[in-house]
Amino acid sequence: NAGVTQTPKFQVLKTGQSMTLQCAQDMNHEYMSWYRQDPGMGLRLIHYSVGAGITDQGEVPNGYNVSRSTTEDFPLRLLSAAPSQTSVYFCAVRNPLSGRAGEQFFGPGTRLTVL
Amino acid sequence: AQRVTQPEKLLSVFKGAPVELKCNYSYSGSPELFWYVQYSRQRLQLLLRHISRESIKGFTADLNKGETSFHLKKPFAQEEDSAMYYCALISGTSGSRLTFGEGTQLTVNP
């Protein structure tokens, strides 16, 4: 799992501020995704990408933007942070060995608090 | 729309007791189901997948299409099994979205 890295580990924002959560992988797989984890709600898909230049919305995309210019990087942008975006954010990469959609490696997470 | 439900947010058992974590799903197509686990201060990781019919760390899970369930079972729980468990579903062979349940926090007491 060292192949998926996320920065920062922790972040505190004020309402209205913007920031970018970084995700990088060295497994050279095309499929990457972002989830948010909230108590009692499990993990919910925000955005995903099936390759450089291709992104699509997940279950909860509002308030978030993504882009995929390289295979390695998949940043998640919060344009104007809101308290409802307080969560733990996980980046994931599909298992390059199996290629199966349900088998993903997760990053360590970014804990975001919006005041 | 596909949906995964884990009815128990918290589950507490004693060491050596059997444990069953429930998972129910709704999906009209042919589902693929998975169990993921997150130990304290560790990353979320895949535990097992229904297509492999495998046993990992003593855990098994059988897909019951009639009851639309994929419960995770272990006959004798260990303290190191304490973790958050998530059931997840993906649609067919060309699906690109993984839908997670709400999660069950398992605590195994000594």
Side-chain angles (χ1 to χ4, degrees), chain A residues 1 10 20 22 27 30 32 37 41 43 49 53 63 71 75:
Chain A
N1 280 351
F10 302 94
T20 300
Q22 302 291 346
M27 294 186 285
E30 295 181 345
M32 298 181 73
Q37 183 187 41
M41 304 187 76
L43 278 80
S49 170
T71 299

Side-chain angles (χ1 to χ4, degrees), chain B residues 6-94:
Chain B
Q6 294 178 248
E8 303 142 327
K9 287 188 170 53
L10 302 171
L11 185 62
S12 182
V13 301
F14 285 102
K15 176 182 174 181
V19 62
E20 180 180 69
L21 290 86
K22 291 184 168 52
C23 172
N24 293 94
Y25 68 91
S26 63
Y27 182 63
S28 57
S30 179
E32 282 192 54
L33 285 132
F34 305 83
W35 277 98
Y36 277 80
V37 61
Q38 187 175 28
Y39 300 102
S40 179
R41 291 185 290 279
Q42 292 188 29
R43 304 185 189 201
L44 192 67
Q45 57 187 285
L46 178 66
L47 180 62
L48 54 79
R49 67 219 88 177
H50 90 266
I51 58 170
S52 301
R53 301 184 66 82
E54 57 202 342
S55 174
I56 303 293
K57 298 184 179 182
F59 284 99
T60 58
D62 291 318
L63 177 61
N64 186 323
K65 290 187 178 180
E67 296 183 358
T68 61
S69 69
F70 186 56
H71 302 329
L72 183 68
K73 301 176 184 179
K74 185 170 183 176
F76 307 102
Q78 302 300 315
E79 289 180 65
E80 55 265 29
D81 296 328
S82 296
M84 178 69 84
Y85 291 81
Y86 291 99
C87 183
L89 161 74
I90 199 153
S91 60
T93 56
S94 60

Side-chain angles (χ1 to χ4, degrees), chain A residues 25-55:
Chain A
Q25 56 124 339
D26 61 5
M27 294 186 285
N28 198 34
H29 199 277
E30 295 181 345
Y31 184 95
M32 298 181 73
S33 52
W34 276 102
Y35 294 86
R36 59 177 290 173
Q37 183 187 41
D38 301 290
M41 304 187 76
L43 278 80
R44 292 179 292 168
L45 182 65
I46 304 172
H47 285 283
Y48 65 97
S49 170
V50 298
I54 307 169
T55 64

Side-chain angles (χ1 to χ4, degrees), chain A:
Chain A
N1 280 351
V4 184
T5 59
Q6 290 183 239
T7 56
K9 287 194 173 78
F10 302 94
Q11 183 71 50
V12 178
L13 293 177
K14 294 181 179 178
T15 297
Q17 287 185 314
S18 63
M19 80 159 296
T20 300
L21 282 64
Q22 302 291 346
C23 175
Q25 56 124 339
D26 61 5
M27 294 186 285
N28 198 34
H29 199 277
E30 295 181 345
Y31 184 95
M32 298 181 73
S33 52
W34 276 102
Y35 294 86
R36 59 177 290 173
Q37 183 187 41
D38 301 290
M41 304 187 76
L43 278 80
R44 292 179 292 168
L45 182 65
I46 304 172
H47 285 283
Y48 65 97
S49 170
V50 298
I54 307 169
T55 64
D56 204 350
Q57 296 181 350
E59 184 183 352
V60 288
N62 292 342
Y64 307 95
N65 279 353
V66 292
S67 60
R68 185 90 179 272
S69 56
T70 66
T71 299
E72 294 77 21
D73 300 298
F74 189 40
L76 179 71
R77 297 184 187 84
L78 283 71
L79 298 179
S80 180
S84 61
Q85 294 177 304
T86 293
S87 186
V88 181
Y89 292 86
F90 290 99
C91 178
V93 177
R94 188 174 293 181
N95 184 343
L97 295 180
S98 74
R100 301 193 69 88
E103 298 179 22
Q104 300 187 24
F105 288 121
F106 282 79
T110 294
R111 187 174 293 274
L112 175 68
T113 301
V114 183
L115 303 176

